[in-house]
Structures are given as C-alpha cells and as structure tokens.
Amino acid sequence: MRKDIVTSSEEETKEIGRQFAAVCKTGSVLCLYGDLGSGKTTFVKGFAEGLGITKEVTSPTFNIMCLYECEKGVLVHIDAYRLYEQQIELGLDEFIGEDGTYSLIEWPKYIDEFIPITALEIEFVNLGNDIRELKLKGPERVLDKINL
C-alpha cells in the first residue's frame, strides 16, 4: 500500500514519527530515503519520543549507528551514507529486524543486503519552507493508522 502525507513543520514530521512508533512492533525495519535535510532525522526524533526515549537523538552520520534503549526494546538508528562502496564489517545484521529492536535506517540503499523484504519505506521530499512530502510504502495495517 502507498500513502502520501504532506507536513508543514518539523513538529508535524515528528508527529508522523510518533504515530509510527505507536503502531510498529519490535523487529520493525523502516527505510528512510531522501536527500540531506529532507526530514529523516526529524522523523526519527519523533519516533524516539513515541517510544518514550528522552535522550537527545542526533544523526549518526559519523558513528554510523546509535542505540537508544526504551521500555519496549532498543531503537537502532543507522545512517549508512558513509558505507557507500565500503567493505566494512560492522555487525549491522545482528541488529536490523531483530526481535526487541526498532531499526530506522537512513540511506538504506548502501546496505541493501541487510534490508528485509518486509521493511517499511518512507521517502522524504523537501518542498521548501519546512514543507515535506512523505511517501509511505508498507502494509495497509500500519499505514491506515498514520494520519495528519
């Protein structure tokens, strides 16, 4: 199923993230596509808030992966941008899609061999002036519960 949502502020983009956190189960994998500054990390911040995480969420561009513990499990935030054409063994497969984790992956095309076929996909498009279009692709049972 496909669904498109337009947000007009960072707070609305975070709200979509909070809604996803409310309906996703552990083991979920969300692939976040979009250019730099398109809202991917803002969405992850909202997802983290939805899980009750109070620690500041930042882009893991230089760390590649950040883990945030919460009551329901662990939020695994991966930024695979720096892994383009790299042969680095980081053990990502030990986290992505595992029970007890929520895997949110920025730039997933650079680690596509680790992405399960059941992953949800969100493409972020920056339309300017804090307006973002989120193109959602995933199971109807999840997307029907996301509204703004």
Side-chain angles (χ1 to χ4, degrees):
M1 176 180 182
R2 293 194 60 95
K3 182 175 191 173
D4 296 342
I5 295 176
V6 175
T7 63
S8 58
S9 68
E10 283 189 26
E11 184 54 38
E12 286 183 2
T13 301
K14 282 184 179 179
E15 175 58 26
I16 298 299
R18 287 190 288 269
Q19 288 183 32
F20 265 94
V23 298
C24 286
K25 297 179 179 176
T26 65
S28 294
V29 177
L30 282 73
C31 293
L32 312 178
Y33 297 90
D35 293 332
L36 294 171
S38 62
K40 298 181 302 290
T41 300
T42 299
F43 173 89
V44 175
K45 288 178 181 184
F47 194 99
E49 289 174 7
L51 293 177
I53 296 170
T54 57
K55 184 177 178 183
E56 181 182 4
V57 172
T58 58
S59 177
T61 300
F62 296 104
N63 298 332
I64 299 176
M65 179 172 59
C66 292
L67 305 176
Y68 303 93
E69 292 186 27
C70 66
E71 198 172 296
K72 296 180 179 180
V74 177
L75 170 59
V76 180
H77 184 195
I78 298 170
D79 185 330
Y81 186 77
R82 291 187 31 215
L83 298 177
Y84 177 65
E85 293 187 350
Q86 299 295 316
Q87 298 297 323
I88 301 171
E89 177 57 48
L90 299 173
L92 297 177
D93 55 326
E94 296 176 21
F95 293 95
I96 297 173
E98 291 299 312
D99 192 35
T101 68
Y102 301 88
S103 303
L104 279 68
I105 306 168
E106 300 185 35
W107 302 96
K109 67 182 178 182
Y110 297 135
I111 57 168
D112 61 354
E113 67 272 17
F114 299 120
I115 306 300
I117 195 166
T118 57
L120 296 163
E121 297 179 5
I122 306 173
E123 180 184 355
F124 293 78
V125 180
N126 183 347
L127 301 176
N129 298 324
D130 286 334
I131 300 171
R132 304 291 188 265
E133 180 178 27
L134 283 64
K135 299 178 180 184
L136 314 172
K137 182 179 175 187
E140 186 174 350
R141 62 182 161 71
V142 173
L143 297 186
D144 275 349
K145 297 176 183 173
I146 306 300
N147 295 301
L148 187 65

